[in-house]
Amino acid sequence: MAKLNFGGVEEQVVTRAEFTLEKAKEVLANETVAVIGYGVQGPGQALNLKDNGFNVIVGQRKNSKTWDKAVADGWVPGETLFEIEEACQKATIIEFLLSDAGQIAVWPTVKKHLTAGKALYFSHGFGITYNDRTGIVPPADVDVIMVAPKGSGTSLRRLFLEGRGLNSSYAIYQDATGKAYDRVIALGVGIGSGYLFETTFKREVYSDLTGERGSLMGAIQGLFAAQYETLRENGHTPSEAFNETVEELSQSLMPLIAENGMDWMYANCSTTAQRGALDWWKKFRDATKPVFAELYNEVKSGNEAQISIDSNSKPDYRVKLEAELKEMRESEMWQAGVTVRSLRPENN
């Protein structure tokens, strides 16, 4: 286990150099991993495990779009693709990768097959952390573990196919067998993690819900919209406003940040840009930090979890969700984005 030091704060991480794929295969040699759910995380994790040589099956509702997607991805009904209950019965490790609302609905079925010595695996701390609301309370004689990739299942799969890895956190909630650590790290390596850093179920869900509502999705969409609308209100064209708000950031500047940090990106911009950015970034921090504090408290209190449970448990939630996404997709800013992306050199 490698140690990282961040200005006196020490963290331990696990890399593939020390916990190799070969070691992971040895640890899980006699295990059957059932990936339950084939929506967001399921395909990437299941296919990566399969390609890495692990014994993996998929459990999914028959006659659903995701069942058909699993078949299209090469999973064979009756051999590697089963109804959820049959997959749980066959598994020694159950990867519970349904949506948070889906986990609540299917939990009674999964719980029936959590016999002594099995492992219950999550990629999100939601169900366990808020179990007073979800009802997900595992039996005491099974391992309860988590590997949470820091990105979508689509990104996990793409990076795997490129020979790269997506960093993941890992946590052990319950070690009933004495094998929980080896199991969770082996699974983390098996799904294609770049490296694994330790967390808890509670810390993972608090940081994850804050990030999704904050800088990863909610805040960045709000920031984009505010700047785009300001530029348009001051006479700038849709193309100019979109390029200055989104396109330059995503295509030019974010890759520089990913490569070597924010200061590196600044250093590769004009001195005028650097001066302005250095003068204004703290104003944006000070303006938004109270919102982040409010957000974190709402996550910590369980209010955000309850909103998600209530909303996503309704029979028409997908219809309403699509209507909100449609509103965003059809906004002028993102319609401008469709046009701008179509003009990229690789698309012509």
Side-chain angles (χ1 to χ4, degrees):
M1 186 176 291
K3 290 185 178 181
L4 303 178
N5 193 294
F6 301 92
V9 178
E10 190 174 272
E11 288 189 37
Q12 294 182 326
V13 300
V14 182
T15 69
R16 292 185 289 191
E18 57 195 292
F19 203 109
T20 64
L21 179 58
E22 290 67 30
K23 181 176 179 179
K25 288 181 181 179
E26 290 175 13
V27 168
L28 302 180
N30 298 315
E31 305 268 23
T32 298
V33 181
V35 174
I36 307 301
Y38 208 74
V40 177
Q41 281 288 336
Q45 294 200 29
L47 290 168
N48 290 0
L49 284 167
K50 177 184 176 184
D51 288 351
N52 269 334
F54 294 88
N55 182 22
V56 57
I57 60 176
V58 171
Q60 185 54 47
R61 297 178 186 85
K62 205 168 186 179
N63 300 320
S64 65
K65 290 181 180 179
T66 42
W67 175 280
D68 294 340
K69 174 174 170 49
V71 171
D73 284 347
W75 303 98
V76 181
E79 294 182 17
T80 55
L81 176 61
F82 304 91
E83 291 268 20
I84 289 174
E85 185 156 7
E86 187 175 0
C88 289
Q89 188 174 16
K90 292 177 178 292
T92 59
I93 298 174
I94 297 173
E95 287 202 6
F96 205 18
L97 301 184
L98 292 166
S99 69
D100 295 323
Q103 287 183 13
I104 296 170
V106 176
W107 174 242
T109 300
V110 172
K111 187 176 181 180
K112 278 195 302 183
H113 299 287
L114 283 172
T115 52
K118 286 192 175 186
L120 177 63
Y121 166 112
F122 295 85
S123 281
H124 191 23
F126 191 101
I128 291 291
T129 300
Y130 302 115
N131 59 20
D132 59 327
R133 301 165 188 264
T134 66
I136 298 175
V137 180
D141 53 5
V142 301
D143 293 341
V144 182
I145 55 181
M146 175 179 66
V147 177
K150 298 300 103 181
S152 71
T154 300
S155 299
L156 183 74
R157 182 60 176 165
R158 284 177 179 171
L159 290 171
F160 177 86
L161 293 174
E162 292 171 9
R164 301 160 64 194
L166 189 66
N167 300 331
S168 302
S169 60
Y170 76 92
I172 298 170
Y173 180 77
Q174 190 167 280
D175 184 3
T177 67
K179 301 185 297 182
Y181 176 80
D182 282 349
R183 275 173 150 176
V184 73
I185 300 302
L187 287 162
V189 171
I191 67 169
S193 301
Y195 72 82
L196 294 134
F197 61 94
E198 188 176 12
T199 189
T200 65
F201 276 64
K202 183 178 289 187
R203 291 203 331 250
E204 190 282 332
V205 74
Y206 286 3
S207 60
D208 191 67
L209 292 185
T210 299
E212 290 167 348
R213 285 148 181 77
S215 66
L216 300 178
M217 296 173 69
I220 199 166
Q221 166 62 13
L223 189 67
F224 284 164
Q227 178 170 305
Y228 180 89
E229 290 169 12
T230 298
L231 290 173
R232 290 286 290 121
E233 288 162 5
N234 283 278
H236 298 270
T237 65
S239 175
E240 184 171 51
F242 187 86
N243 272 286
E244 293 293 349
T245 300
V246 179
E247 189 76 352
E248 184 174 352
L249 175 67
S250 63
Q251 296 302 296
S252 174
L253 303 184
M254 289 302 289
L256 293 176
I257 297 170
E259 181 182 340
N260 215 17
M262 184 67 78
D263 63 309
W264 170 251
M265 185 268 276
Y266 275 34
N268 281 274
C269 294
S270 71
T271 54
T272 301
Q274 291 181 57
R275 181 68 269 144
L278 290 167
D279 287 344
W280 278 87
W281 81 263
K282 291 180 182 178
K283 294 182 182 181
F284 283 105
R285 178 199 61 190
D286 294 345
T288 59
K289 193 170 180 184
V291 180
F292 278 96
E294 178 188 357
L295 167 58
Y296 191 86
N297 287 332
E298 287 295 290
V299 170
K300 188 175 181 179
S301 71
N303 289 343
E304 283 297 310
Q306 195 61 54
I307 290 168
S308 293
I309 292 168
D310 292 344
S311 174
N312 297 341
S313 297
K314 293 177 181 176
D316 62 345
Y317 88 96
R318 287 193 181 277
V319 175
K320 291 182 176 178
L321 184 69
E322 178 52 36
E324 290 184 81
L325 293 174
K326 182 173 182 287
E327 180 185 0
M328 182 187 296
R329 182 169 58 249
E330 294 182 354
S331 69
E332 185 190 86
M333 179 172 70
W334 290 111
Q335 285 301 300
V338 172
T339 301
V340 170
R341 287 192 297 275
S342 72
L343 296 174
R344 289 176 188 166
E346 65 267 24
N347 295 327
N348 288 283

